[in-house]
Amino acid sequence: MAAIEKKMIAGTDKAETPTFAELDLCPELVAACDAMKWTKPTKIQEEAIPYALQGRDLIALAQTGSGKTAAFALPIMQALLEHRMPFFACVLSPTRELAIQIADQFQDLGKGIGVVCSVLVGGVDRMQQVISLTKRPHIVVGTPGRLLDHLRDTKGFSLNKIKYLVIDEADKLLNDEFETSLDDILQIIPKERKTFLFSATMTKKVEKLQRACLRNPVMVKVGSKYSTVDTLKQEFYFVPAKHKDCYLVHVLSKMPDKMIMIFVRTCESTRLLALMLRNLGFNAISISGQMSQDKRLGALNRFKGKECKIVVCTDVASRGLDIQGVDLVINYDFPLNSKDYVHRVGRTARAGESGRAISLVNQYEAPWFKLVEGQLGKVICPCVADKDEIEIHENSVANSKSIALRSLKESGGFKKRKRTGDY
């Protein structure tokens, strides 16, 4: 593989951001951007789209909420307009929700030009997906496991003439969890294609990039390897482990009527914490990989529609999801690495808006916190709570958690999750 051409963009190289028309997008797509109320390209769109239109393979790294989906969708649709054909492009995503969101954006941008998409993810009836494939969609978006199933078993479905492959959240899809499925897909589809790798974070996995068959790629990098947007206010409480729930309730009580995402480490914790919060009068729901796809999407839509203002979730909700209006992200369980931290806090302060992230760090999580802080290259501001304000919650929190735990045990709510490589 040829050496990767790298373009590091600091964000201030150009005095004025060009328009979408000045990026050489066709009038139909410029009109689509206007309909989406996008006035100017984001930095990653400004830098990546011209290379994509030139036919270059891309490795594009940018912060969460920076408009990466449009940066690959727009060039693909422009090429589709020039050579309209079924199964023109395939987009791979690590999570079902992100795959659905990507397909929605293709559909929204492609309304005026008749773009047809098919979504292939687990947890959904396969026959419905087979029917959607018989319509010969232009764009196929899916998770690796389910896409591979259809490539092997669905009669008449093939990607042997595919022109574009997008690996979104590439750092996740290049991990061992998806390695076998991804390698099998790359063996099936033709090597003569354009390949885009997009992510907010990526480590140097040169051998795996070579297996992805990039040809003469250019790397467009907006910001540092681990970075968060300037409009995000980041804070932390150093809390005793036994009082973490009290600190959580303290923070939530200070922010009524705000849209809040609370990240925890396990599926069991999402259910327990959400039930505990409901017992305390908070309007909270949970999302985790153990839920059926219908329930996950239902919960996500209730949160997006502000029917429920608090969602307790695992990292299944940290990758790529664009939820408008999230005011606060809380790290109830601090993440084990910087990549997960960046993706979690990226659910707020999106597209130039402001946002806030608060981490509850106990004595056991302090080493991870210092590591993340060092890799971010910034000091996260400490917060101090009045001891009396914390203690006032102790009895109610303990009782509510006890009731929640008993309820879950009686209903068989704690189940072990089988790892499948498809969240």
Side-chain angles (χ1 to χ4, degrees):
M1 186 175 92
I4 297 174
E5 182 182 345
K6 297 183 180 180
K7 302 290 182 182
M8 177 64 183
I9 312 300
T12 56
D13 296 341
K14 298 181 181 179
E16 187 175 344
T17 302
T19 65
F20 284 105
E22 289 169 341
L23 294 181
D24 291 330
L25 289 173
C26 64
E28 295 92 333
L29 293 177
V30 172
C33 293
D34 288 340
M36 299 281 284
K37 302 189 184 306
W38 297 345
T39 56
K40 292 280 183 88
T42 65
K43 202 66 186 175
I44 191 62
Q45 292 165 4
E46 175 187 348
E47 301 301 334
I49 287 174
Y51 288 112
L53 293 177
Q54 292 170 18
R56 298 288 297 273
D57 282 7
L58 280 178
I59 302 170
L61 309 181
Q63 297 156 326
T64 57
S66 59
K68 293 189 295 295
T69 302
F72 61 74
L74 289 167
I76 287 174
M77 287 194 292
Q78 180 140 319
L80 177 63
L81 278 171
E82 297 171 1
H83 305 283
R84 189 176 286 269
M85 56 179 282
F87 305 117
F88 186 75
C90 176
V91 183
L92 291 175
S93 157
T95 70
R96 303 168 186 176
E97 287 79 9
L98 180 55
I100 293 167
Q101 179 178 288
I102 291 168
D104 286 344
Q105 189 153 125
F106 268 102
Q107 295 279 187
D108 289 341
L109 287 169
K111 283 178 182 176
I113 57 176
V115 170
V116 179
C117 295
S118 181
V119 181
L120 308 179
V121 297
V124 177
D125 179 61
R126 284 191 55 174
M127 187 51 62
Q128 294 179 13
Q129 296 173 355
V130 170
I131 293 170
S132 75
L133 291 173
T134 63
K135 298 177 182 178
R136 299 176 65 76
H138 304 107
I139 313 295
V140 175
V141 187
T143 49
R146 181 53 65 92
L147 175 68
L148 187 59
D149 287 344
H150 281 287
L151 285 171
R152 287 172 171 168
D153 302 332
T154 300
K155 187 176 180 180
F157 172 51
S158 169
L159 294 177
N160 59 10
K161 293 184 179 180
I162 184 178
K163 301 302 180 185
Y164 285 85
L165 172 68
V166 180
I167 302 178
D168 196 22
E169 300 295 339
D171 61 319
K172 183 71 174 178
L173 285 177
L174 290 170
N175 284 345
D176 293 343
E177 184 179 340
F178 297 95
E179 184 173 17
T180 301
S181 295
L182 183 59
D183 282 350
D184 289 346
I185 291 168
L186 293 174
Q187 291 297 318
I188 293 172
I189 65 176
K191 292 181 172 57
E192 293 295 329
R193 62 171 192 271
K194 306 303 178 190
T195 305
F196 301 157
L197 280 76
F198 274 74
S199 185
T201 53
M202 186 185 292
T203 55
K204 296 180 179 178
K205 301 176 179 178
V206 177
E207 292 182 359
K208 291 183 179 181
L209 293 180
Q210 287 175 329
R211 288 208 300 274
C213 302
L214 275 76
R215 298 168 182 265
N216 191 27
V218 59
M219 177 183 286
V220 178
K221 188 175 182 182
V222 178
S224 62
K225 179 178 176 181
Y226 299 105
S227 62
T228 53
V229 295
D230 294 335
T231 54
L232 175 67
K233 183 179 182 180
Q234 300 174 71
E235 303 165 296
F236 80 98
Y237 286 91
F238 188 68
V239 306
K242 65 180 181 178
H243 290 148
K244 183 177 278 193
D245 293 329
C246 294
Y247 275 84
L248 174 65
V249 172
H250 168 75
V251 171
L252 295 177
S253 299
K254 296 287 186 180
M255 299 191 71
D257 299 321
K258 300 295 185 181
M259 286 187 72
I260 300 172
M261 298 183 74
I262 303 171
F263 283 96
V264 298
R265 197 163 293 127
T266 68
C267 298
E268 288 77 11
S269 294
T270 63
R271 293 190 291 275
L272 177 59
L273 206 57
L275 187 51
M276 181 197 80
L277 291 175
R278 288 200 295 273
N279 290 340
L280 289 166
F282 294 99
N283 194 2
I285 54 174
S286 64
I287 296 177
S288 75
Q290 284 185 343
M291 297 168 65
S292 69
Q293 186 61 28
D294 286 345
K295 288 184 178 180
R296 276 162 58 171
L297 287 176
L300 190 60
N301 287 334
R302 289 175 66 195
F303 181 61
K304 286 182 176 181
K306 300 185 179 181
E307 183 182 340
C308 290
K309 294 293 188 72
I310 300 171
V311 61
V312 186
C313 48
T314 59
D315 283 317
V316 71
S318 71
R319 290 274 176 165
L321 290 185
D322 187 13
I323 302 172
Q324 298 299 316
V326 175
D327 300 291
L328 172 66
V329 168
I330 299 176
N331 286 308
Y332 176 87
D333 290 325
F334 198 77
L336 303 181
N337 58 65
S338 303
K339 287 195 297 183
D340 289 340
Y341 178 86
V342 168
H343 283 288
R344 287 181 179 188
V345 301
R347 297 316 96 209
T348 186
R350 299 179 68 82
E353 298 294 326
S354 61
R356 189 177 178 189
I358 295 177
S359 298
L360 306 179
V361 183
N362 65 33
Q363 61 269 37
Y364 309 109
E365 297 166 324
W368 303 329
F369 174 80
K370 296 304 295 182
L371 176 65
V372 168
E373 196 177 43
Q375 290 183 325
L376 289 174
K378 63 173 62 178
V379 175
I380 299 175
C381 299
C383 294
V384 178
D386 184 276
K387 186 178 178 181
D388 291 337
E389 291 188 15
I390 299 300
E391 289 180 348
I392 200 172
H393 298 296
E394 280 193 55
N395 288 337
S396 60
V397 165
N399 290 335
S400 298
K401 191 164 189 177
S402 177
I403 294 169
L405 187 59
R406 184 166 62 251
S407 175
L408 287 173
K409 285 182 177 179
E410 290 173 353
S411 65
F414 288 126
K415 300 176 183 178
K416 290 186 177 180
R417 173 177 174 237
K418 182 180 179 181
R419 302 289 290 184
T420 63
D422 175 12
Y423 281 84

